[in-house]
Amino acid sequence: MTATASRLEDVVREIAEEMQARPDRGEVATYIPELARVDPGAFGLVVIDADGTVAAGGDSDVPFSIQSISKVFTLTLALGMVGDRLWRRVGREPSGSPFNSIIQLEYERGIPRNPFINAGAIAVTDLILSRHKPREALGEILRFMQVLAQDSSIVIDEAVAASEQRTGFRNGALAHYMKSFGVIENPVEYVLGVYFHHCAIAMTCRQLATAGRFLAHAGRDPTTGHSVVTPERARRINAVMLTCGHYDGSGEFAYRVGLPGKSGVGGGILAIAPGKASIAVWSPGLDAAGNSHLGRIALEALTRRLGWSIFGV
């Protein structure tokens, strides 16, 4: 089923209105103090189709902390640097555990289960840092995001980054534990500094959906023709997003939404409808697994109304 531009715009507007009216909004993240200040009533949704049509609803142009969604882009960068050698440092299997769990690292001798849990993303950050000084590594990540989003105004929210650095004790424990097994090569304080800062990048739904377009179109931006990754690599990144992108809620997201997606505790979700569209949704209230409560519900409604689930209509 192919959505016309007007149909797409109508569906996005309807869903945004429905979500803004719902009383069940989840709970905002409080373990990062700066995120606890975000308005739980916010909701934004943007869909960009293959023709470049932008359908937007709600607070689509309000910046928010993308948090773990940045891990999609650091994974893409790291794969570009070292290719499949990256998978010697981090696995590709669902964790079945909370995003900041240390238990699996003990059983698996410091090798994180996948690049989207915190330990895995810290290991990926360490790999990127191996070629740069911390400031240069962070600059490369931010520039990559700006280029993909076609917007040089994207910045790091320094207040959120500082808040994470003050309270990120469990991430510190994960990094030190991996360091003891040689999985982390650089000084832990440098790795964590870069990690906290790239998670604190602030983007709007419009910017985020634009940045993710290459994953919906075989590794290239269909408007500019610019190739970001090979079709095979785009397919594989999407596969990891589908199986691991929502922590121990990944199976539920695949069951209900049926798209590759990556969430962040800032309340954002980047979802990919292969060959059709890049989608970004933001609602700060989280469910028990740490994923956007209304974001998932909105995406389920979107895929059902447009027939976009990868598993069939």
Side-chain angles (χ1 to χ4, degrees):
M1 176 180 177
T2 301
T4 64
S6 60
R7 167 68 173 152
L8 180 61
E9 291 168 356
D10 288 344
V11 168
V12 168
R13 184 177 62 254
E14 290 166 5
I15 291 173
E17 291 172 354
E18 291 167 13
M19 295 303 111
Q20 287 176 319
R22 286 182 69 123
D24 56 320
R25 311 198 73 83
E27 301 292 332
V28 297
T30 56
Y31 70 95
I32 300 173
E34 201 66 25
L35 295 185
R37 306 180 185 207
V38 180
D39 176 12
F43 180 88
L45 175 63
V46 168
V47 180
I48 306 178
D49 70 10
D51 296 326
T53 299
V54 179
D59 303 306
S60 58
D61 290 311
V62 177
F64 62 92
S65 182
I66 66 170
Q67 291 294 309
S68 288
I69 303 172
S70 69
K71 298 171 184 177
V72 173
F73 302 99
T74 53
L75 173 63
T76 303
L77 268 179
L79 285 170
M81 291 177 176
V82 301
D84 287 345
R85 283 185 292 136
L86 177 142
W87 303 118
R88 300 173 189 172
R89 302 266 294 272
V90 61
R92 298 190 295 270
E93 295 296 326
S95 65
S97 299
F99 54 84
N100 56 3
S101 172
I102 199 170
I103 295 172
Q104 284 176 333
L105 283 178
E106 294 189 63
Y107 285 110
E108 297 171 0
R109 300 189 60 79
I111 301 295
R113 185 63 68 91
N114 66 67
F116 293 152
I117 55 174
N118 289 16
I122 291 168
V124 170
T125 300
D126 176 69
L127 192 152
I128 296 172
L129 185 56
S130 293
R131 298 193 174 194
H132 305 283
K133 295 178 180 178
R135 188 177 296 274
E136 294 169 347
L138 189 58
E140 179 164 358
I141 295 167
L142 183 59
R143 282 193 299 275
F144 186 53
M145 301 291 293
Q146 291 171 338
V147 169
L148 290 176
Q150 301 169 28
D151 193 334
S152 60
S153 71
I154 295 168
V155 296
I156 295 165
D157 187 324
E158 293 292 347
V160 173
S163 185
E164 292 195 58
Q165 286 188 301
R166 286 194 305 270
T167 59
F169 304 115
R170 190 168 298 189
N171 286 321
L174 294 171
H176 282 288
Y177 196 78
M178 288 188 289
K179 181 77 168 177
S180 73
F181 284 100
V183 175
I184 298 296
E185 297 178 350
N186 293 284
V188 166
E189 62 270 24
Y190 291 175
V191 178
L192 289 174
V194 175
Y195 172 75
F196 290 139
H197 278 78
H198 74 64
C199 286
I201 291 172
M203 298 176 73
T204 68
C205 288
R206 191 181 303 267
Q207 292 167 334
L208 185 58
T210 303
R213 292 191 77 200
F214 75 99
L215 290 171
H217 304 288
R220 57 191 293 275
D221 185 318
T223 299
T224 65
H226 173 65
S227 178
V228 180
V229 297
T230 64
E232 179 184 31
R233 183 159 291 166
R235 184 172 67 249
R236 289 181 168 176
I237 293 171
N238 280 332
V240 180
M241 289 173 69
L242 179 71
T243 57
C244 307
H246 284 74
Y247 315 118
D248 51 339
S250 297
E252 183 74 2
F253 187 83
Y255 177 82
R256 294 190 175 277
V257 177
L259 296 178
K262 181 70 196 83
S263 67
V265 295
I269 301 175
L270 171 66
I272 302 299
K276 297 181 176 70
S278 175
I279 308 156
V281 62
W282 172 54
S283 179
L286 309 179
D287 61 21
N291 303 309
S292 175
H293 174 66
L294 288 186
R296 193 267 298 159
I297 293 172
L299 290 171
E300 182 178 3
L302 184 77
T303 56
R304 182 186 296 120
R305 295 178 197 185
L306 297 177
W308 277 2
S309 168
I310 64 172
F311 302 112
V313 178

